[in-house]
Amino acid sequence: MQEIPLDPFTDGTNPPSDLPLFQTLKMLKEASKITGRNFSAEAHSFKDQMREAGFVDIEESRIKIPLGPWHADATQKEIGRYNMLCCLEGIEAYTLALFTRVLEMSVEEVQTLLTKTHKDIRNKKLRIYFWLIVVRGRKPTNAC
């Protein structure tokens, strides 16, 4: 199982918390929590879910992935490009229904916020990371 929690961070000084990207992610967490499908908490419960399903030898790894192609390392730069593309292409799909139906925003308000959020996502100066949480396990072999 894998997921990227909506908790951006940096290695250095954190950008201002009032950035549209951070506002959007905070609102997305709030709206998803209201609906009972808390996007932010899912990945943190994967190990328990796998254990409850009967898996053994469960391991969790966390991979630091950049948002955007700002990283000096060529591989990280490429990963950042793909992560940025995923964010740019997917954020409207995740937010539009939740923000209009749950947070009662107008479509225009959401679009305005997303325009600003897209600008933050493309901003190489922010040097934002997300954790990719990967949880692996195996079904036990049945003893005969």
Side-chain angles (χ1 to χ4, degrees), residues 46-56 58:
F46 284 169
K47 285 175 75 172
D48 293 334
Q49 290 174 12
M50 289 185 74
R51 195 171 295 110
E52 289 168 11
F55 285 84
V56 296
I58 300 165

Side-chain angles (χ1 to χ4, degrees), residues 10 83 116 123 139:
T10 66
N83 190 24
K116 295 174 185 174
N123 186 347
K139 280 287 196 180

Side-chain angles (χ1 to χ4, degrees), residues 70-107:
W70 53 264
H71 205 281
D73 177 77
T75 301
Q76 290 298 308
K77 188 179 293 258
E78 187 71 12
I79 291 168
R81 261 189 212 100
Y82 283 111
N83 190 24
M84 180 179 74
L85 180 63
C86 287
C87 288
L88 290 170
E89 294 292 322
I91 197 149
E92 183 175 338
Y94 280 106
T95 59
L96 192 56
L98 280 173
F99 287 12
T100 56
R101 295 177 189 158
V102 178
L103 301 181
E104 300 180 355
M105 293 174 69
S106 72
V107 172

